[in-house]
Amino acid sequence: MKNNTKQAKTLIKENYAKKIYLIETDSFKHVVKEYYQHDNENIYQILLKYSHPNIVPIYKVDRDETKIIVHEKYIGDITLSDILPINNHDMLLNVLLQICDGLLFLHSHEIIHRDLKPDNIYYLNGNVIINDFDIAKIDENKHRNKDTHMFGSVGFAAPEQYGFSRTDERSDIYSFGALAQYLMTGDQNQPISKKNPLKPIVDRCMEINPDERYGDVNELKLDLERIKLGKSQYALPGFRRGIKKNKIIASIVYIIFILLVLVAEDGSEGNGPKNHLSAKIGFAFLMLPFLFIPTNYLNVHRFAPRNIKKHKFITNFMLIGMYYFLVFVILMFLSPFL
C-alpha cells in the first residue's frame, strides 16, 4: 500500500555549527537538529534514555561521519522571552519551581546546562520546558580547576564560565537567579525591589563566589516553596512546606523536647531554683543541634565543606561536633565568671 503522507521540511535556523529543521506531516511535528561541531552526544543519549516533564523529549539520536542528528519533540515557539515580565506572583513561582524540577533532573544525571536564559526555556500550556543543550556538559572531571572552554550568554552565565574556575551545578543556580530577575523586571539591568520576598533568594543565587550560593537546587527549591506558602525564613522545621504529615511529626517531636527540658534536673543535692533552671537551659542547648542541624534550619549546612555536603550523615555529624566544640570553648572562656 502506498504511503500518501506528505512531509514538509523547513530550515528554521542555520549557523556554522548546526542546522535546525522543523519536520511536519499531516498529524505530527518534530524538530531535527544537525550538529557539525558538537561533542555532547552523551548528553542527548541520557535525555533519550530518561525523560522528565520539564525537559524537551528526545526521540532519537543518530551520528554519521560529519554530524550528530538529534530528533526531538516540537514544543512550540513560545519561550519565556515572550511572556516576560511575569507580574503574576503565583505564575512566577510556578514557572521558577518547574525550572528547579528540570534542573534537579539534569543535575541528578550530572548534566550542567550552562545556558539558562528565557530564549532556551519554552512555555507550553502552562508547562515549562528546558531546551537547547548546545553548551551543556557532564560534570565528571571534578578535579579540574577550571573549564577548558569559555561559554555562556552575557548577563546569564556565571563568572566561572568565563574561565575563573570550574563550572558545576552552582553555575546553573547563578543563571537561575539572573533568569528570575529578568522574568520579574523584563530588564536585565533593573534590580528587584528590596520589598520583593524573592530578592534575598535571587541575591544568594547570584553571589560571585559559588560557595556563597545555594549548595544545590533542592535547597533553592525549598526556599521558593516557603515563599509560595507565605512562610517566614524562621519557620520551624516541619512547618516550612505546609505538609500535614510533617506538621504532625514536628509537633510530636517539639512536645517531647519540651517535656524533656521540663523534667531535666541538676543531679546535685541541695540546689535551689536557680540551679534547676540552669540545668534545664543547659539541657536545651545540648539538644538543640539534634533538632536544627539535620533539618538544615537557616541553611546551617552551608558551614560544611562542599565536598561532603552530599553526604548528609557526615555533614550532620561534623556540624553537631562543631556545635559542641564551640559550646565547650565558650564555657571554658566564661567559667571564671560563673
Side-chain angles (χ1 to χ4, degrees), residues 2 22 59 86-87 89 115-116 123 163 165 175 182 187 200 229 233 235 239 248 266 277 281 286 299 303 308 313:
K2 186 176 180 180
L22 175 62
Y59 294 143
I86 303 177
N87 296 315
H89 182 72
D115 201 19
L116 285 178
Y123 193 72
S165 60
S175 298
Y182 196 19
D187 184 345
L229 293 169
Q233 63 176 320
F239 295 88
I248 294 172
D266 187 334
L277 178 61
I281 294 174
L286 289 175
N299 191 33
F303 297 111
I308 71 165
F313 177 81

Side-chain angles (χ1 to χ4, degrees), residues 214-268:
Y214 288 95
D216 56 48
V217 176
N218 188 58
E219 188 182 333
L220 165 61
K221 184 183 177 183
L222 288 175
D223 249 0
L224 289 171
E225 288 178 333
R226 175 181 57 78
I227 295 292
K228 184 176 182 179
L229 293 169
K231 301 290 184 180
S232 165
Q233 63 176 320
Y234 301 107
L236 291 174
F239 295 88
R240 292 177 290 188
R241 301 176 67 182
I243 299 175
K244 185 176 180 180
K245 181 182 72 173
N246 291 357
K247 289 180 179 180
I248 294 172
I249 294 173
S251 298
I252 294 172
V253 170
Y254 292 137
I255 290 171
I256 294 173
F257 175 77
I258 292 171
L259 290 175
L260 289 174
V261 170
L262 290 175
V263 300
E265 297 287 349
D266 187 334
S268 304

Side-chain angles (χ1 to χ4, degrees), residues 137-152:
K137 74 162 190 173
I138 301 291
D139 190 23
E140 53 191 1
N141 193 345
K142 300 181 186 296
H143 300 291
R144 181 178 292 159
N145 292 325
K146 59 183 180 180
D147 291 356
T148 55
H149 299 286
M150 291 180 282
F151 292 115

